[in-house]
Each structure stands twice: as C-alpha cells, then as structure tokens.
C-alpha cells in the first residue's frame, strides 16, 4: 500500500529529464528512508530493532516549487487515487495498473541506472502485453500508436530502447546513457497508464483495450474492420 501511494506521488513528482552527472542517484523523488520500523495500530513500536536499507542514497526531500503547485500536486494525486479506487474501474484494469505502478516505483528506487532501466522495461511489458507469447514488437506497436502526430519517431525510440534492453539482458552491455533510457521508458509507462484509465470506460477487459492498439492507424483499415463486425453481428449471431 505504501509503495502504491509512492508510485502515485512519483508519477507526478519524478523529473522527466535531468542535466548533469547523477548516475548513482535513483530517479524517484519520493523514496523510503534509511531505516524501517514496524508499529502497532496506536503508533508504538511493535519491534525494537529497525531494518537498515543498504541501498539507501540520501537526497533532498521533494517540495513542489512553483506558485500554488502544492495544492495542484495534492489535487492530481487525489484524482489519481480516486480513479484507481473507483468501483467503476473494472477489476482487470485495476489489477494491471496497480501491478505496473508497483513495478514502476520499485524500478526507479534503484540507484544503478542499468538495473533500473531493465526493471522499467518489465513494467512497460506488463502494461502492454496481453499474452506471454507476445514479443517486444507488440510493446513498440501499442506504445507508438498512442502518439498521433509522431508515431514514426516514437517507434524508432522504442526500437532503440528494445535494442538496449537486449544488449543488457543477453550480452551484459550497459549503455553509457542508461539514465536517459530510464527517463524515456518512464514517459511511455505514464502514457500507457493514462490510456488504460481512459479506455476502462469503454472495455471490460484490459486485454481488449490493448489489442485495439494493434490495429493499423488507417481509417480505411479500421472502417473495413467495423463493417466486418457489423456484418457478423447482423447475419451470424442469432
């Protein structure tokens, strides 16, 4: 529950890019501290011994910096949590979005950018793939179609991410720009999560919503598909 709340915070609070050398600093702006404790319901320590987080990297606390951004940030988080907990959100959508948010926030807690990128790609796969037999081409296909005006650019970018992922997974080659790859993967994760929230109003199953993204974004192709389904409904369904 704590990680899910942190994920909602980080969706809005994480930077989209950074300038300078921060190769061993996690991307998440809201992270757990150096020590962990367990408390009873009344707040008293349940166990005296704390746990130490060996991977903890100190950073400045997150504070919204622009005028009125504190209220705006709270409003955004409240809206996201309300949508996530809404009884109108189908269980299948809630399950996919929740598990992906947890993968997202845990990926960017990692100070090693190569490891963080690999975990972020896993989150993207969890969001985009409907079957374990589907390949990375489906991730590229379904993400890029969400960008109406720049599909070819984003297809090239996603192919680049896929190639870097394969180099790391199969050959152990870590890109010098691994942190930049993390920011790029993060942008696609946010985009697909936004689509799933929107499409939940139109589908009862997240797999169906994702398979729709595999259609070629051509009006003629989509028109023929609509006509074929109408024919099926009219003549073949009793």
């Amino acid at each position: 529950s704590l990680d899910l709340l942190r994920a909602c915070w980080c969706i809005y609070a994480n930077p989209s890019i950074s300038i300078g050398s921060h190769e061993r600093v996690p991307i998440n702006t809201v992270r757990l501290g150096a020590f962990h404790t367990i408390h009873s319901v009344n707040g008293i320590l349940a166990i005296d011994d704390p746990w130490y987080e060996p991977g903890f990297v100190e950073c400045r606390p997150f504070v919204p910096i622009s005028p009125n951004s504190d209220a705006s940030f709270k409003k955004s988080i409240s809206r996201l949590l309300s949508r996530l907990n809404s009884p109108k959100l189908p269980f299948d959508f809630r399950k996919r979005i929740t598990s992906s948010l947890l993968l997202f926030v845990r990926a960017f807690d990692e100070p090693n950018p190569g490891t963080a990128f690999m975990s972020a790609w896993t989150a993207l796969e969890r969001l985009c793939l409907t079957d374990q037999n589907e390949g990375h081409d489906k991730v590229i296909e379904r993400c890029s179609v969400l960008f109406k005006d720049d599909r070819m650019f984003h297809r090239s970018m996603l192919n680049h991410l896929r190639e870097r992922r394969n180099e790391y997974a199969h050959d152990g080659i870590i890109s010098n720009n691994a942190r930049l790859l993390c920011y790029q993967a993060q942008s696609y994760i946010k985009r697909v999560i936004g689509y799933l929230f929107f499409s939940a109003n139109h589908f009862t199953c997240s797999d169906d919503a994702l398979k729709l993204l595999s259609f070629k974004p051509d009006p003629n192709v989509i028109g023929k598909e609509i006509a074929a389904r109408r024919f099926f409904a009219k003549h073949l369904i009793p």
Side-chain angles (χ1 to χ4, degrees):
S1 296
L2 180 58
D3 273 354
L4 186 58
L5 179 58
R6 287 199 309 117
C8 294
W9 284 335
C10 289
I11 281 287
Y12 288 101
N14 280 2
S16 57
I17 195 66
S18 65
I19 300 174
S21 178
H22 303 286
E23 287 300 310
R24 294 292 170 177
V25 177
I27 288 175
N28 281 342
T29 54
V30 182
R31 306 198 309 274
L32 299 177
F35 296 93
H36 306 287
T37 55
I38 294 181
H39 299 256
S40 300
V41 175
N42 60 7
I44 296 175
L45 279 173
I47 300 175
D48 291 333
D49 297 329
W51 283 267
Y52 174 69
E53 176 57 58
F56 176 75
V57 179
E58 188 175 356
C59 69
R60 290 179 298 176
F62 167 73
V63 178
I65 57 176
S66 57
N68 302 320
S69 61
D70 186 49
S72 176
F73 181 75
K74 290 179 180 178
K75 184 178 180 180
S76 298
I77 298 301
S78 177
R79 184 168 60 246
L80 178 56
L81 289 172
S82 295
R83 295 175 71 184
L84 192 60
N85 295 316
S86 171
K88 295 181 180 180
L89 183 67
F91 174 77
D92 180 65
F93 279 85
R94 180 180 294 108
K95 182 179 178 182
R96 185 183 292 269
I97 292 171
T98 297
S99 63
S100 300
L101 283 170
L102 291 174
L103 287 170
F104 157 80
V105 77
R106 291 166 183 167
F108 293 133
D109 279 341
E110 172 59 52
N112 183 312
T115 305
F117 169 64
M118 290 295 290
S119 299
W121 182 269
T122 299
L124 198 56
E125 287 181 333
R126 176 70 186 89
L127 280 168
C128 294
L129 300 184
T130 61
D131 185 276
Q132 61 180 357
N133 295 319
E134 289 184 332
H136 294 165
D137 58 314
K138 288 298 181 182
V139 175
I140 295 167
E141 183 179 84
R142 289 167 182 164
C143 282
S144 60
V145 80
L146 292 172
F147 297 85
K148 183 177 180 180
D149 299 322
D150 300 300
R151 289 193 181 110
M152 292 307 298
F153 168 79
H154 288 286
R155 179 175 286 272
S156 298
M157 183 66 70
L158 285 156
N159 265 310
H160 175 69
L161 295 182
R162 176 186 60 81
E163 291 169 0
R164 300 292 80 77
R165 179 265 174 201
N166 290 343
E167 286 180 351
Y168 192 14
H170 302 303
D171 302 320
I173 299 175
I174 302 175
S175 171
N176 292 330
N177 297 316
R179 189 172 180 84
L180 179 59
L181 300 180
C182 288
Y183 287 120
Q184 292 167 344
Q186 177 182 243
S187 69
Y188 293 117
I189 290 171
K190 291 180 179 180
R191 190 81 171 198
V192 181
I193 287 176
Y195 167 74
L196 287 175
F197 271 124
F198 169 77
S199 61
N201 296 325
H202 307 282
F203 298 90
T204 56
C205 172
S206 62
D207 282 1
D208 288 344
L210 292 168
K211 288 175 181 176
L212 182 71
L213 300 179
S214 293
F215 279 111
K216 185 177 180 180
D218 183 316
N220 293 327
V221 173
I222 295 174
K224 290 179 180 178
E225 177 69 22
I226 292 172
R229 289 179 180 270
R230 283 177 175 167
F231 175 85
F232 183 86
K234 181 178 180 180
H235 298 286
L236 300 177
I237 297 178

